[in-house]
Amino acid sequence: MSIGKFFKSLFCSRKDTSKSHKPAPDNVAQASKDIVNLQQQNAVAFGKFSFELEEKRGESLIAHSGYLLTAFSLYSAALLTLLGSLLSNAIVSRTHLFIASTCIAAPLILSLVFTMLAQWRFRYNTLIDGAAFRKEFEQDPKNYCEQYQFDYQFIIQLHKVQVSKKNINNKRLFCIRVAMICFLLSVVILIAFYIYLSVVYTKGV
């Protein structure tokens, strides 16, 4: 009988041990909350980092458009100086100068226009203020009892702002690319006319 009781007690202890490994419903709910809370906290951290990168991208695009304006000013000054010297020279035909200056100035003016558009202060969405957040929390208090719920609301608001900023930065990038293409086109036309007029007037035509 002592051996039977021993095995019986051993079986019961193993059974009780297996039951103790099953998590209680409260523990499961708490673990789920912890996981969601961790996910939301990381989403907030990643979202802030991504938004900062988008902000820096916008600042970089504006700075690049400023460099284009500087290059435009220097290039225009050089063109006006060259045009003044050619006008004082009776050898070069006024018709040739008019055609060349028009073809060079047209893409240059387009470059200036798109560069100015790249620096335009476009409207974009902004985060709601603290009073608006508080009003949102007071209107729906049942859904704002845990920290991850507040984090979720912040993620939604930050997403709207970042999407708006990204669209604006894409517009700036498009304007800068067009401005650079027009600027380079003007330089290419200048070189082409310089070669053409050099060949024509060296032959005595």
Side-chain angles (χ1 to χ4, degrees):
M1 293 294 294
S2 60
I3 297 175
K5 290 180 179 180
F6 172 77
F7 281 105
K8 186 176 181 180
S9 61
L10 181 63
F11 174 79
C12 291
S13 62
R14 287 183 178 177
K15 187 176 181 181
D16 294 337
T17 304
S18 63
K19 287 183 179 180
S20 63
H21 284 296
K22 293 182 179 180
D26 293 339
N27 294 334
V28 173
Q30 184 61 38
S32 300
K33 287 183 179 179
D34 292 339
I35 292 173
V36 173
N37 191 30
L38 182 62
Q39 291 174 346
Q40 297 300 322
Q41 287 179 355
N42 282 277
V44 169
F46 297 159
K48 287 182 179 179
F49 180 70
S50 179
F51 181 76
E52 289 174 0
L53 291 179
E54 197 65 40
E55 283 280 326
K56 292 180 180 179
R57 178 176 175 238
E59 294 173 359
S60 177
L61 290 173
I62 293 176
H64 192 76
S65 63
Y67 300 149
L68 280 176
L69 283 178
T70 303
F72 177 87
S73 300
L74 296 175
Y75 181 68
S76 300
L79 285 179
L80 291 176
T81 303
L82 178 62
L83 182 61
S85 62
L86 291 176
L87 287 174
S88 61
N89 189 352
I91 299 176
V92 183
S93 172
R94 296 293 188 273
T95 304
H96 286 165
L97 285 179
F98 176 78
I99 295 174
S101 59
T102 302
C103 293
I104 294 170
L108 190 61
I109 293 174
L110 286 176
S111 177
L112 175 63
V113 171
F114 279 98
T115 303
M116 297 298 294
L117 286 176
Q119 291 193 338
W120 190 265
R121 298 296 179 180
F122 297 98
R123 296 181 60 183
Y124 62 93
N125 294 331
T126 58
L127 281 173
I128 60 177
D129 57 11
F133 273 117
R134 181 179 58 81
K135 185 178 180 180
E136 177 70 21
F137 301 152
E138 291 177 349
Q139 288 179 350
D140 194 9
K142 293 182 180 180
N143 290 326
Y144 291 101
C145 303
E146 301 289 341
Q147 181 59 43
Y148 68 85
Q149 295 171 326
F150 295 97
D151 292 337
Y152 179 78
Q153 178 62 232
F154 179 75
I155 292 168
I156 295 299
Q157 296 298 325
L158 188 64
H159 172 71
K160 294 178 181 179
V161 177
Q162 185 168 353
V163 169
S164 178
K165 293 285 290 184
K166 185 177 181 180
N167 291 335
I168 292 173
N169 288 337
N170 289 338
K171 292 179 182 178
R172 294 188 197 278
L173 180 60
F174 173 78
C175 292
I176 289 174
R177 285 179 175 175
V178 175
M180 291 180 64
I181 292 173
C182 292
F183 185 84
L184 292 175
L185 181 61
S186 177
V187 174
V188 171
I189 293 174
L190 173 64
I191 296 173
F193 269 105
Y194 174 78
I195 295 173
Y196 172 76
L197 294 178
S198 298
V199 172
V200 169
Y201 284 98
T202 52
K203 289 183 177 180
V205 180

